Amino acid sequence: MKVENKHTKIIAAATKVFAKKGFFTARISDIAKEAKVADGTIYLYFNNKYDILLSVFEEEVGKIVESTEKLLRLEDDPRRQLEIFCSQHLHSMKKNRYLAEVLQIELRQPYKLIKEYRDTTFSKYTGIIAEIIRNGQRLGLFRTELHPDLAKRCIFGALDELSRVWNASLETNYTVEEITNQVLAIFLIGIEVTRSSEEG
Amino acid sequence: MKVENKHTKIIAAATKVFAKKGFFTARISDIAKEAKVADGTIYLYFNNKYDILLSVFEEEVGKIVESTEKLLRLEDDPRRQLEIFCSQHLHSMKKNRYLAEVLQIELRQPYKLIKEYRDTTFSKYTGIIAEIIRNGQRLGLFRTELHPDLAKRCIFGALDELSRVWNASLETNYTVEEITNQVLAIFLIGIEVTRSSEEG
DNA sequence: AATCCCTGAATGGCCATTCATTCATGTACT
DNA sequence: AGTACATGAATGAATGGCCATTCAGGGATT
């Protein structure tokens, strides 16, 4: 049946354990137990503990980036694109809550390898937002006094913080759709060229 | 001369070291060296490593919360209040970049004591934003279809992410004022009752 | 019997924490 | 003033526990 290979199994287990305990207090033996393999087996598939974390990033985030980019290519209107990005991001984080937690916690750590990953691969992902905004500005849809690099951070920061709603089960449950709508309700109006700003 | 007591000195040193290396890879001896005291001295003032981190939170963040609340009490208009909150937050984080980094990294860790702190003391701070929004809605200034708890997260998330601009020196230098203006340009328009939404 | 994959106990290094000792200052007595 | 003793803050070397990593061996499949 489950021929699901060990590499994949370990990645999944590690994601869960890192989410629950954090990278540094997670023990290799925890991951091994969760993946139902021996401690030593992990070292047949990964070089060390860090390598596991980086693999979680590379592989799991990779999937998300790919599918998001694919969807975006099917759409021209930057307003629609922004909607798709937000909706996709929130859906992904909801579906894979352990990954969401790991990203939120570990991607910020000030360690060389993590920074490197963040500044290369991951920044491409958030860069998509800046691109959408630039595009919208070119088309006269978004206000040109906004810096795409700053707006990108506002939007990504908002999405990131909102994903925590589920994981920490803080506010009484909102659905992904509700949250998406709220984000867009704020940002689309916030960045669009408005009647009043045209008049002014 | 500098009668600056040891407790304070250690807190400052720890903030710096935690920011640079992260809580888990920071060694007590690093903090001791930075504070120019012996390793053992630290244990005369703190129970353990965790206790140092929590004290950093409590004391340093405490100051920020207090001064922000004070300023807000002087103002009635929720739009102005939101402006003050954003501006204050960004200024604080710019002024104390080590604290900013520690907050961004460590406040998310999934450990009991940190969660506790976050869910009690710290959430009061972000709660201020929700309060401002509720107030604005009551006064008919902000759109009532927005959930204050979600809008709060959008705004705090945006501020938090933006504070990283300086620490990571990512984008070419924006000033605090520029960033504040951009945030407000997006959010104020994003949440305000607009001519078009009134007409619609 | 050779190859492969896996196992988990043993190793070794790291570092938070402890505590015996030192040192500086204060007080009391002559 | 000088000597003797007391106090407790500060020190930093030593301890002990933890856990990532290794590796000698076991079992399956060819």
Side-chain angles (χ1 to χ4, degrees), chain A residues 118-132:
Chain A
R118 188 175 61 213
D119 295 345
T120 58
T121 315
F122 193 76
S123 75
K124 273 183 212 145
Y125 181 58
T126 58
I128 294 176
I129 308 178
E131 217 32 70
I132 294 176

PDB file of all heavy atoms in Angstrom, chain A residues 118-132:
ATOM      1  N   ARG A 118      15.744  32.623   2.705  1.00  0.00           N
ATOM      2  CA  ARG A 118      14.712  33.649   2.706  1.00  0.00           C
ATOM      3  C   ARG A 118      14.996  34.721   1.664  1.00  0.00           C
ATOM      4  O   ARG A 118      14.091  35.170   0.952  1.00  0.00           O
ATOM      5  CB  ARG A 118      14.656  34.280   4.101  1.00  0.00           C
ATOM      6  CG  ARG A 118      13.506  35.224   4.299  1.00  0.00           C
ATOM      7  CD  ARG A 118      13.478  35.698   5.735  1.00  0.00           C
ATOM      8  NE  ARG A 118      14.678  36.416   6.090  1.00  0.00           N
ATOM      9  CZ  ARG A 118      15.244  36.407   7.312  1.00  0.00           C
ATOM     10  NH1 ARG A 118      14.720  35.685   8.281  1.00  0.00           N
ATOM     11  NH2 ARG A 118      16.325  37.095   7.558  1.00  0.00           N
ATOM     12  N   ASP A 119      16.251  35.099   1.569  1.00  0.00           N
ATOM     13  CA  ASP A 119      16.596  36.184   0.664  1.00  0.00           C
ATOM     14  C   ASP A 119      16.659  35.760  -0.802  1.00  0.00           C
ATOM     15  O   ASP A 119      16.711  36.608  -1.686  1.00  0.00           O
ATOM     16  CB  ASP A 119      17.937  36.805   1.074  1.00  0.00           C
ATOM     17  CG  ASP A 119      17.836  37.479   2.436  1.00  0.00           C
ATOM     18  OD1 ASP A 119      16.699  37.693   2.892  1.00  0.00           O
ATOM     19  OD2 ASP A 119      18.879  37.769   3.025  1.00  0.00           O
ATOM     20  N   THR A 120      16.678  34.483  -1.049  1.00  0.00           N
ATOM     21  CA  THR A 120      16.688  34.047  -2.447  1.00  0.00           C
ATOM     22  C   THR A 120      15.325  33.481  -2.824  1.00  0.00           C
ATOM     23  O   THR A 120      14.470  34.183  -3.328  1.00  0.00           O
ATOM     24  CB  THR A 120      17.797  33.001  -2.686  1.00  0.00           C
ATOM     25  OG1 THR A 120      17.590  31.895  -1.814  1.00  0.00           O
ATOM     26  CG2 THR A 120      19.165  33.594  -2.433  1.00  0.00           C
ATOM     27  N   THR A 121      15.122  32.221  -2.524  1.00  0.00           N
ATOM     28  CA  THR A 121      13.898  31.549  -2.934  1.00  0.00           C
ATOM     29  C   THR A 121      12.635  32.216  -2.409  1.00  0.00           C
ATOM     30  O   THR A 121      11.718  32.529  -3.164  1.00  0.00           O
ATOM     31  CB  THR A 121      13.909  30.086  -2.454  1.00  0.00           C
ATOM     32  OG1 THR A 121      15.193  29.534  -2.726  1.00  0.00           O
ATOM     33  CG2 THR A 121      12.844  29.289  -3.181  1.00  0.00           C
ATOM     34  N   PHE A 122      12.613  32.435  -1.095  1.00  0.00           N
ATOM     35  CA  PHE A 122      11.355  32.908  -0.532  1.00  0.00           C
ATOM     36  C   PHE A 122      11.007  34.322  -0.975  1.00  0.00           C
ATOM     37  O   PHE A 122       9.831  34.646  -1.178  1.00  0.00           O
ATOM     38  CB  PHE A 122      11.366  32.839   1.000  1.00  0.00           C
ATOM     39  CG  PHE A 122      10.011  33.022   1.594  1.00  0.00           C
ATOM     40  CD1 PHE A 122       9.090  31.993   1.551  1.00  0.00           C
ATOM     41  CD2 PHE A 122       9.643  34.226   2.171  1.00  0.00           C
ATOM     42  CE1 PHE A 122       7.815  32.156   2.069  1.00  0.00           C
ATOM     43  CE2 PHE A 122       8.369  34.395   2.698  1.00  0.00           C
ATOM     44  CZ  PHE A 122       7.455  33.367   2.644  1.00  0.00           C
ATOM     45  N   SER A 123      12.029  35.143  -1.143  1.00  0.00           N
ATOM     46  CA  SER A 123      11.726  36.526  -1.517  1.00  0.00           C
ATOM     47  C   SER A 123      11.132  36.602  -2.918  1.00  0.00           C
ATOM     48  O   SER A 123      10.457  37.567  -3.270  1.00  0.00           O
ATOM     49  CB  SER A 123      12.965  37.395  -1.391  1.00  0.00           C
ATOM     50  OG  SER A 123      13.841  37.135  -2.445  1.00  0.00           O
ATOM     51  N   LYS A 124      11.372  35.568  -3.712  1.00  0.00           N
ATOM     52  CA  LYS A 124      10.718  35.527  -5.016  1.00  0.00           C
ATOM     53  C   LYS A 124       9.198  35.452  -4.843  1.00  0.00           C
ATOM     54  O   LYS A 124       8.447  36.027  -5.611  1.00  0.00           O
ATOM     55  CB  LYS A 124      11.189  34.303  -5.811  1.00  0.00           C
ATOM     56  CG  LYS A 124      12.456  34.557  -6.615  1.00  0.00           C
ATOM     57  CD  LYS A 124      12.837  33.336  -7.426  1.00  0.00           C
ATOM     58  CE  LYS A 124      14.350  33.257  -7.551  1.00  0.00           C
ATOM     59  NZ  LYS A 124      14.865  31.879  -7.540  1.00  0.00           N
ATOM     60  N   TYR A 125       8.825  34.691  -3.834  1.00  0.00           N
ATOM     61  CA  TYR A 125       7.390  34.519  -3.576  1.00  0.00           C
ATOM     62  C   TYR A 125       6.738  35.852  -3.202  1.00  0.00           C
ATOM     63  O   TYR A 125       5.765  36.275  -3.830  1.00  0.00           O
ATOM     64  CB  TYR A 125       7.199  33.491  -2.462  1.00  0.00           C
ATOM     65  CG  TYR A 125       5.750  33.203  -2.121  1.00  0.00           C
ATOM     66  CD1 TYR A 125       4.858  32.731  -3.079  1.00  0.00           C
ATOM     67  CD2 TYR A 125       5.286  33.379  -0.822  1.00  0.00           C
ATOM     68  CE1 TYR A 125       3.549  32.450  -2.756  1.00  0.00           C
ATOM     69  CE2 TYR A 125       3.969  33.108  -0.493  1.00  0.00           C
ATOM     70  CZ  TYR A 125       3.103  32.643  -1.461  1.00  0.00           C
ATOM     71  OH  TYR A 125       1.799  32.375  -1.135  1.00  0.00           O
ATOM     72  N   THR A 126       7.299  36.549  -2.235  1.00  0.00           N
ATOM     73  CA  THR A 126       6.701  37.831  -1.857  1.00  0.00           C
ATOM     74  C   THR A 126       6.894  38.858  -2.974  1.00  0.00           C
ATOM     75  O   THR A 126       6.111  39.792  -3.120  1.00  0.00           O
ATOM     76  CB  THR A 126       7.304  38.375  -0.551  1.00  0.00           C
ATOM     77  OG1 THR A 126       8.712  38.507  -0.717  1.00  0.00           O
ATOM     78  CG2 THR A 126       7.038  37.454   0.611  1.00  0.00           C
ATOM     79  N   GLY A 127       7.939  38.647  -3.763  1.00  0.00           N
ATOM     80  CA  GLY A 127       8.172  39.539  -4.901  1.00  0.00           C
ATOM     81  C   GLY A 127       7.021  39.543  -5.893  1.00  0.00           C
ATOM     82  O   GLY A 127       6.790  40.542  -6.587  1.00  0.00           O
ATOM     83  N   ILE A 128       6.291  38.439  -5.927  1.00  0.00           N
ATOM     84  CA  ILE A 128       5.137  38.365  -6.831  1.00  0.00           C
ATOM     85  C   ILE A 128       4.168  39.510  -6.535  1.00  0.00           C
ATOM     86  O   ILE A 128       3.629  40.133  -7.447  1.00  0.00           O
ATOM     87  CB  ILE A 128       4.403  37.010  -6.657  1.00  0.00           C
ATOM     88  CG1 ILE A 128       5.305  35.854  -7.114  1.00  0.00           C
ATOM     89  CG2 ILE A 128       3.097  37.009  -7.446  1.00  0.00           C
ATOM     90  CD1 ILE A 128       4.674  34.474  -6.875  1.00  0.00           C
ATOM     91  N   ILE A 129       3.982  39.797  -5.258  1.00  0.00           N
ATOM     92  CA  ILE A 129       3.044  40.858  -4.887  1.00  0.00           C
ATOM     93  C   ILE A 129       3.504  42.200  -5.442  1.00  0.00           C
ATOM     94  O   ILE A 129       2.722  42.952  -6.032  1.00  0.00           O
ATOM     95  CB  ILE A 129       2.906  40.976  -3.354  1.00  0.00           C
ATOM     96  CG1 ILE A 129       2.584  39.609  -2.738  1.00  0.00           C
ATOM     97  CG2 ILE A 129       1.823  41.984  -2.986  1.00  0.00           C
ATOM     98  CD1 ILE A 129       2.493  39.647  -1.222  1.00  0.00           C
ATOM     99  N   ALA A 130       4.797  42.478  -5.267  1.00  0.00           N
ATOM    100  CA  ALA A 130       5.328  43.752  -5.767  1.00  0.00           C
ATOM    101  C   ALA A 130       5.110  43.853  -7.274  1.00  0.00           C
ATOM    102  O   ALA A 130       4.741  44.921  -7.801  1.00  0.00           O
ATOM    103  CB  ALA A 130       6.800  43.867  -5.422  1.00  0.00           C
ATOM    104  N   GLU A 131       5.312  42.740  -7.938  1.00  0.00           N
ATOM    105  CA  GLU A 131       5.148  42.706  -9.395  1.00  0.00           C
ATOM    106  C   GLU A 131       3.708  43.043  -9.798  1.00  0.00           C
ATOM    107  O   GLU A 131       3.468  43.836 -10.707  1.00  0.00           O
ATOM    108  CB  GLU A 131       5.533  41.309  -9.893  1.00  0.00           C
ATOM    109  CG  GLU A 131       6.245  41.292 -11.215  1.00  0.00           C
ATOM    110  CD  GLU A 131       7.107  42.534 -11.431  1.00  0.00           C
ATOM    111  OE1 GLU A 131       8.156  42.712 -10.768  1.00  0.00           O
ATOM    112  OE2 GLU A 131       6.688  43.359 -12.282  1.00  0.00           O
ATOM    113  N   ILE A 132       2.779  42.434  -9.082  1.00  0.00           N
ATOM    114  CA  ILE A 132       1.366  42.690  -9.371  1.00  0.00           C
ATOM    115  C   ILE A 132       1.060  44.176  -9.196  1.00  0.00           C
ATOM    116  O   ILE A 132       0.366  44.794 -10.015  1.00  0.00           O
ATOM    117  CB  ILE A 132       0.461  41.859  -8.429  1.00  0.00           C
ATOM    118  CG1 ILE A 132       0.623  40.364  -8.720  1.00  0.00           C
ATOM    119  CG2 ILE A 132      -1.002  42.273  -8.587  1.00  0.00           C
ATOM    120  CD1 ILE A 132      -0.158  39.462  -7.773  1.00  0.00           C
TER     121      ILE A 132
END
